């Protein structure tokens, strides 16, 4: 029997015409996003797979073992404080079968929350399907009516999504990673609150009196610049200016999980600030090569999120294989198996920075090249390097043509004037990989200088080192 003919293309409608026009305008600005597939032969300098666990045969084998039924039984508990390292997988359902508040919960999920919370020195934790869901859920429901959210100007879009639907009375940005500007913003908020009775009938001076909460949202490592937040200084300023306990620091540890802090516990644990931070977000889709996220918080906050966080309530929970992948990654990390990987990654960070510095004489000797690229002055504390250039697509394509997968990052992802090529290092990279990448960048600089590159119109040859 012949297959049915394909359906006819949809007729133009005012909506489809508007959507196409909007996409055309974005394409004209060279800002149109597209799905791509990374060539299998490319050397990865792009993904967030910092520990290269997605290619680990050991982790893959452990994951497949975790999927096998066992005879272990564990009594389900409503608390996530359990530190059991062996949650049950007996007769597991492949899918979660529903929202966690309905049929999607399991003893395995609760034991996993306890294991992760214990590892990160937290009293409780709540799993979410993604870091975006966790941030949007938290900031969408935890700030109460009239509360204020103060956030780093480079904070992730998921926090903005949560603030947009929250009951917070205001949300105010402070200068990126600037403790002094945070202090200024807090001071102005307190003074303004002292003079404003507000529209909620609660009176003036509520922040100073400790009756109005101020949430301070930061990331431990920022994904586009790779810089590390001064979390210690931020906590000190919040505690000094809001001494009555109504200042709450929330740290997104997505890019520090697995690679910072003792055993990969994150920046907050590395600084010993677990008891002075209100909530922490750890995600599993980067260094841990899994998916999903956990919010580490107090038991009361966990219970509140279960009742009010809409991304948790109104979505199907993660499947058992997804939970198993998370547990195996944490067991791998708890056993110390990721520490050699993190050490190698740290050595590569130093090497890439030093190798990039060898390009400086070449840049400074040609006026036409000086404006082509800006290299990091100091070695970053994270595996993320930003090569600022007005020609990110040209540089990225030349590197890609040489077998190195890097990505251009342009507005609106980053502000205009800060276009860059983002380079991410991985434990699976070698020193030779790093050296060859830098040589490729140097070759691009030479070609750009001899060709008089002022834009992306210059055709550069496709060659491999």
């Amino acid at each position: 029997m012949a297959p049915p003919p394909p359906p006819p293309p949809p007729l133009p409608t005012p909506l489809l015409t508007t959507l196409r026009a909007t996409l055309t305008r974005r394409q004209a600005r060279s800002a149109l996003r597209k799905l791509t597939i990374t060539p299998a032969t490319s050397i990865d300098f792009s993904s967030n797979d910092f520990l290269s666990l997605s290619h680990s045969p050991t982790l893959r084998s452990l994951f497949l073992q975790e999927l096998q039924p066992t005879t272990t039984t564990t009594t389900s508990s409503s608390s996530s404080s359990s530190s059991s390292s062996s949650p049950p997988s007996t007769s597991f359902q492949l899918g979660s079968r529903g929202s966690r508040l309905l049929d999607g919960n399991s003893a395995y999920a609760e034991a996993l929350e306890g294991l992760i919370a214990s590892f990160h020195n937290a009293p409780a934790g709540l799993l979410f399907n993604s870091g975006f869901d966790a941030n949007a859920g938290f900031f969408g429901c935890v700030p109460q009516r009239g509360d204020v959210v103060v956030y780093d100007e480079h904070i992730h879009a998921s926090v903005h999504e949560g603030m947009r639907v929250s009951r917070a009375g205001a949300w105010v940005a402070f200068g990126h990673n600037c403790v002094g500007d945070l202090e200024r913003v807090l001071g102005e908020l307190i003074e303004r609150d002292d003079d404003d009775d507000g529209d909620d009938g609660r009176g003036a001076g509520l922040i100073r009196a400790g009756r109005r909460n101020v949430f301070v949202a930061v990331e431990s490592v920022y994904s586009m610049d790779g810089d590390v937040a001064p979390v210690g200084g931020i906590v000190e300023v919040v505690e000094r200016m809001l001494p009555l306990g109504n200042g709450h620091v929330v740290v997104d540890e997505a890019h520090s999980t697995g690679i910072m802090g003792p055993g990969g516990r994150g920046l907050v644990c590395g600084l010993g600030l677990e008891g002075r931070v209100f909530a922490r977000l750890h995600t599993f889709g980067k260094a841990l090569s899994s998916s999903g996220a956990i919010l580490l918080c107090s038991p009361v906050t966990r219970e509140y999120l279960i009742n009010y966080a809409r991304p948790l309530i109104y979505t199907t929970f993660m499947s058992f294989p997804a939970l198993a992948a998370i547990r195996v990654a944490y067991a791998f990390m708890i056993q110390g198996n990721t520490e050699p990987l993190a050490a190698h990654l740290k050595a590569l960070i130093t090497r890439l920075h030093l190798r990039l510095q060898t390009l400086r004489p070449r840049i400074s000797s040609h006026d036409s090249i000086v404006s082509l690229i800006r290299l990091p002055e100091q070695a970053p504390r994270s595996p993320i390097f930003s090569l600022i250039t007005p020609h990110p697509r040209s540089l990225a394509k030349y590197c890609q043509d040489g077998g190195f997968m890097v990505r251009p990052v342009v507005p609106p992802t980053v502000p205009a004037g800060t276009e860059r090529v983002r380079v991410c290092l991985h434990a699976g990279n070698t020193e030779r990989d790093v050296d060859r990448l830098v040589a490729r960048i140097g070759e691009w600089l030479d070609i750009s200088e001899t060709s008089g590159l002022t834009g992306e119109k210059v055709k550069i040859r496709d060659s491999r080192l």
Side-chain angles (χ1 to χ4, degrees):
M1 185 176 185
L11 296 175
T13 66
L15 175 59
L16 292 178
T17 301
T18 299
L19 297 182
R20 174 49 59 196
T22 302
L23 291 170
T24 300
R25 288 194 297 271
R26 170 163 278 198
Q27 186 173 25
R29 300 194 306 270
S30 299
L32 186 67
R33 296 182 172 103
K34 294 184 178 181
L35 297 177
T36 61
I37 297 176
T38 302
T41 57
S42 293
I43 299 173
D44 183 11
F45 282 105
S46 173
S47 79
N48 292 320
D49 184 21
F50 300 128
L51 296 177
S52 298
L53 293 183
S54 65
H55 301 290
S56 169
T58 303
L59 192 63
R60 176 185 174 86
S61 176
L62 292 172
F63 170 67
L64 294 176
Q65 291 177 27
E66 185 72 8
L67 297 181
Q68 302 304 311
T70 68
T71 58
T72 306
T73 57
T74 298
T75 303
S76 175
S77 169
S78 60
S79 170
S80 71
S81 61
S82 169
S83 61
S84 170
S85 61
S86 299
S89 58
T90 302
S91 303
F92 67 84
Q93 300 283 343
L94 186 62
S96 67
R97 303 178 299 149
S99 165
R100 199 167 177 198
L101 283 171
L102 298 176
D103 302 299
N105 196 30
S106 66
Y108 190 95
E110 293 191 354
L112 178 59
E113 285 174 332
L115 171 69
I116 297 173
S118 176
F119 176 72
H120 291 285
N121 301 326
L126 184 63
L127 289 167
F128 282 80
N129 285 9
S130 71
F132 195 104
D133 281 356
N135 268 334
F138 179 94
F139 286 98
C141 75
V142 174
Q144 304 297 294
R145 184 184 179 193
D147 286 350
V148 180
V149 180
V150 178
Y151 61 93
D152 187 288
E153 62 180 341
H154 288 185
I155 202 70
H156 194 265
S158 55
V159 174
H160 287 277
E161 191 75 9
M163 292 188 296
R164 186 177 61 83
V165 300
S166 75
R167 294 172 293 168
W171 46 93
V172 185
F174 66 94
H176 177 54
N177 272 354
C178 182
V179 175
D181 196 51
L182 170 62
E183 185 170 358
R184 176 192 65 80
V185 168
L186 291 176
E188 291 179 357
L189 283 172
I190 293 171
E191 290 182 7
R192 191 180 309 131
D193 187 65
D194 286 344
D195 299 331
D196 186 7
D197 288 340
D199 58 2
D200 56 7
R202 296 168 65 191
L206 298 181
I207 294 178
R208 192 184 299 276
R211 296 168 54 202
R212 174 168 287 153
N213 299 299
V214 178
F215 295 85
V216 178
V218 299
E219 299 177 32
S220 55
V221 177
Y222 288 86
S223 62
M224 290 296 107
D225 292 304
D227 49 350
V228 177
V231 175
I234 289 169
V235 169
E236 290 175 4
V237 165
V238 171
E239 290 178 343
R240 173 165 50 83
M241 300 197 70
L242 302 168
L244 298 182
N246 57 322
H248 310 291
V249 178
V250 182
V251 183
D252 184 335
E253 298 250 39
H255 290 84
S256 68
T257 306
I259 63 172
M260 287 189 171
R265 287 173 171 83
L267 181 64
V268 171
C269 283
L271 297 172
L273 296 174
E274 301 96 313
R276 298 166 67 185
V277 168
F278 183 77
R280 290 172 274 160
L281 170 68
H282 286 272
T283 63
F284 316 131
K286 297 177 174 62
L288 300 188
S289 189
S290 304
S291 64
I294 191 168
L295 267 170
L296 303 177
C297 53
S298 69
V300 172
T301 305
R302 179 180 186 272
E303 185 177 3
Y304 187 89
L305 289 167
I306 290 172
N307 280 272
Y308 291 100
R310 295 171 70 87
L312 176 81
I313 298 169
Y314 298 109
T315 193
T316 299
F317 188 49
M318 287 183 283
S319 65
F320 173 75
L323 296 173
I326 297 167
R327 182 189 176 273
V328 167
Y330 263 90
F332 196 73
M333 187 162 54
I334 289 169
Q335 293 164 8
N337 295 315
T338 60
E339 293 188 25
L341 303 176
H344 176 62
L345 183 61
K346 185 176 181 180
L348 289 181
I349 293 171
T350 300
R351 187 175 186 88
L352 177 56
H353 178 257
L354 291 175
R355 295 296 295 162
L356 286 173
Q357 304 316 302
T358 65
L359 300 178
R360 289 195 181 278
R362 190 180 311 183
I363 295 172
S364 60
S365 63
H366 298 283
D367 292 339
S368 60
I369 297 182
V370 170
S371 62
L372 284 182
I373 192 168
R374 188 167 78 239
L375 303 175
E377 295 286 343
Q378 298 179 336
R381 292 169 58 193
S382 81
I384 302 170
F385 285 68
S386 287
L387 308 182
I388 306 297
T389 172
H391 315 290
R393 289 188 176 85
S394 174
L395 175 54
K397 184 179 186 305
Y398 193 72
C399 290
Q400 291 168 10
D401 289 344
F404 305 99
M405 182 48 62
V406 296
R407 303 282 184 179
V409 185
V410 299
T413 303
V414 294
T418 67
E419 295 86 352
R420 82 270 317 265
V421 168
R422 181 176 182 262
V423 177
C424 289
L425 292 170
H426 311 91
N429 294 136
T430 66
E431 292 182 350
R432 183 170 181 269
D433 292 338
V434 169
D435 295 348
R436 292 176 60 216
L437 174 65
V438 174
R440 186 72 178 179
I441 295 171
E443 189 176 326
W444 177 80
L445 288 171
D446 290 340
I447 293 173
S448 301
E449 195 274 332
T450 57
S451 303
L453 176 62
T454 58
E456 297 182 14
K457 299 178 181 179
V458 178
K459 185 176 180 180
I460 48 185
R461 62 188 175 91
D462 178 2
S463 64
R464 293 178 181 264
L465 295 179

